[in-house]
Amino acid sequence: MGVPLLEVRNLSVNYITMRGVVKALDRVSFDLDENETIAVVGETGSGKSTIAKAIVRVLEENARITGGEVIFEGVDVLKLSEEEFRRNYRWVKVAMVPQGSMNSLNPVLRVVDQMIEPLVLRGVPKVDAIKIAGEALESVGLPKDTLNRYPHQLSGGMKQRVIIAMAIQARPKLVILDEPTSALDVMTQANIMNLLKRLKREFKLSYIFITHDLALASELADKVLVLYAGRVAELGSADLVYTDPKHPYTQGLMTSVPTLREDKKLSFIPGEVPSLINPPSGCRFHPRCPYVMDICRREDPPMIDLKDGRKVACWLYH
Ligand SMILES: Nc1ncnc2c1ncn2[C@@H]1O[C@H](COP(=O)(O)OP(=O)(O)OP(=O)(O)O)[C@@H](O)[C@H]1O
Ligand SMILES: [Mg+2]
C-alpha cells in the first residue's frame, strides 16, 4: 500500500467573529486514495464547506487553522507558500466546485473568458487555454461553442456542467464537489450524478462529495464521513454507513432521507444544530441524542474502531 492521495489529520478551524470564536472544525481526520470517493455528510453548519475550503486554501480572512495537517501525496500543503500552492496544487492537482458556484458565474463574461482565466493565470498561452476549455466542455457533454455563450443563455444543468468542466480542465487528481446538485431539479440532478460517475472513471478522479443527502452520498461514494457540529461522528464504507448506521446522529439522518432529498430542514432529529461558539460539553450531539448517558454530557466521546473497519465517536460503543 502506497501513501494515500490525501490525508487530513486532526484538522481544526476556528472563525473569529464579533460574537466570539466559532469552533467550526475540531480534529477532523480522514484518508482518500486515488480514484476513491468520500462523501462528507451533515446538516447545515456542520463544517462541510469549511473542510473543502481548508483543503484548497481558500478560507475567509477571519478563519484560523488552529491545528492539523492536509497531506497531499505526502506533502503537508498547509505549510507551502501561497505561491507554491497556487503553482502546483490549486486547480492543478486539486480543484473545487464551490457551493452555489453555478449561480455565481459572472453574467457579463462569456463562458470562454471565465474558463480560461485560471489557466492563463498559470501561464498557459491563450490559444492553448481555449483549446483545453473547449475539450473540457465536450467531456462534460456540452458542445464546444458553449464557449461563446453567456451564463444567462444556459440552463441550470448546463451551468453546472460548465463549472465541472472548469474544475477538470487542468486534469486534477482530486475534485471537491460542494453540494453540486442541490440547486437542481431531480432529473438534472440524476444527469449530473451520472456525469460525475463517468468523469471519475475516465479521468481516474478522486472526489470529496459534500452533501446533505446520505442517499445521494451512498450512490457515488466509496466511504462516508458523517460530520456533526464540526466533529467526525462516523466514518466508514458507504455501504455500512448507509445500511447499518451506528452513530445515533447517522441513524437520525437516515430516517430523514426523504426530507433531505427535497433539501428541506431536518425535522426528524429533534432539537437544533448547536452553537459552535459555545458548543455543548462532552459529545456535541448529546442534547439531541435519544440514547444520552451521563458520561456523554461530561466527556468527549472516544473515536471507537469497530471490527468492520468503521470509526464511530460514541460512548455507546465504548
Ligand atoms: N466566514 C465565516 N465567519 C464566521 N463563521 C463562519 C464563516 N464561515 C462559516 N462559518 C460558520 O462555521 C460553521 C460551519 O460552516 P460551514 O459553511 O462549513 O458549514 P456547512 O456544513 O458547509 O453548512 P451548509 O450545509 O449550510 O453549507 C457554521 O456555524 C457557520 O456559521
Ligand atoms: Mg456548505
Side-chain angles (χ1 to χ4, degrees):
M1 292 265 285
V3 273
L5 179 69
L6 177 76
E7 299 167 74
V8 173
R9 288 279 155 269
N10 293 313
L11 184 64
S12 299
V13 176
N14 290 344
Y15 291 106
I16 314 296
T17 73
M18 301 283 278
R19 292 182 302 126
V21 176
V22 178
K23 299 175 190 93
L25 287 184
D26 185 24
R27 290 163 292 165
V28 169
S29 299
F30 64 90
D31 286 352
L32 189 64
D33 282 328
E34 254 175 64
N35 205 214
E36 191 178 40
T37 298
I38 188 168
V40 177
V41 182
E43 285 165 279
T44 180
S46 56
K48 304 182 297 295
S49 297
T50 303
I51 294 182
K53 291 178 201 167
I55 293 170
V56 289
R57 295 187 29 172
V58 293
L59 286 165
E60 289 84 358
E61 291 267 292
N62 66 329
R64 301 287 178 273
I65 296 179
T66 57
E69 297 163 340
V70 173
I71 301 167
F72 197 92
E73 295 177 321
V75 176
D76 183 355
V77 296
L78 298 183
K79 293 211 170 76
L80 300 177
S81 68
E82 167 60 20
E83 158 63 18
E84 190 173 0
F85 187 74
R86 176 158 34 87
R87 184 155 27 90
N88 296 325
Y89 290 90
R90 189 185 299 122
W91 291 108
V92 186
K93 288 192 173 180
V94 40
M96 173 153 84
V97 171
Q99 189 165 10
S101 49
M102 64 179 244
N103 296 318
S104 59
L105 282 167
N106 189 330
V108 300
L109 287 185
R110 288 176 310 157
V111 166
V112 62
D113 300 313
Q114 321 207 25
M115 285 189 75
I116 66 172
E117 190 190 291
L119 297 169
V120 170
L121 278 178
R122 277 194 10 255
V124 179
K126 201 171 166 185
V127 273
D128 297 337
I130 293 171
K131 186 159 174 281
I132 292 170
E135 284 164 4
L137 287 173
E138 287 188 321
S139 62
V140 301
L142 291 174
K144 252 190 194 137
D145 65 12
T146 311
L147 283 175
N148 300 316
R149 302 284 189 90
Y150 287 90
H152 74 264
Q153 299 173 307
L154 305 174
S155 69
M158 289 166 84
K159 278 191 264 190
Q160 192 60 297
R161 281 172 198 262
V162 168
I163 299 284
I164 293 168
M166 267 179 92
I168 62 158
Q169 64 183 350
R171 299 294 176 86
K173 294 191 169 177
L174 170 63
V175 181
I176 303 177
L177 303 151
D178 195 349
E179 313 237 15
T181 64
S182 58
L184 303 170
D185 63 78
V186 176
M187 271 300 290
T188 314
Q189 186 177 61
N191 291 337
I192 295 287
M193 290 301 286
N194 286 333
L195 170 68
L196 293 174
K197 286 177 202 165
R198 179 169 64 74
L199 293 174
K200 184 191 177 206
R201 274 199 309 276
E202 237 166 73
F203 298 108
K204 293 245 179 323
L205 296 171
S206 298
Y207 289 140
I208 298 177
F209 180 74
I210 295 175
T211 176
H212 287 83
D213 186 335
L214 197 49
L216 209 56
S218 73
E219 202 180 307
L220 186 67
D222 302 297
K223 52 193 187 189
V224 174
L225 184 156
V226 181
L227 201 61
Y228 185 77
R231 285 185 182 163
V232 176
E234 182 162 356
L235 172 62
S237 86
D239 285 348
L240 286 173
V241 175
Y242 191 61
T243 56
D244 180 26
K246 292 296 188 200
H247 196 287
Y249 175 63
T250 320
Q251 292 169 358
L253 274 184
M254 283 301 307
T255 50
S256 45
V257 161
T259 330
L260 290 172
R261 272 276 184 201
E262 289 152 39
D263 213 32
K264 281 189 205 136
K265 258 191 117 179
L266 272 181
S267 54
F268 287 72
I269 308 176
E272 298 259 311
V273 185
S275 152
L276 295 179
I277 294 177
N278 277 310
S281 59
C283 174
R284 290 182 175 180
F285 188 58
H286 88 250
R288 298 168 76 187
C289 184
Y291 309 107
V292 62
M293 304 176 289
D294 236 12
I295 193 164
C296 310
R297 299 189 180 93
R298 283 184 280 111
E299 285 187 51
D300 286 359
M303 188 61 82
I304 312 272
D305 286 297
L306 299 182
K307 284 207 183 68
D308 59 17
R310 220 172 333 176
K311 290 177 186 297
V312 56
C314 179
W315 281 111
L316 286 175
Y317 302 93
H318 186 55

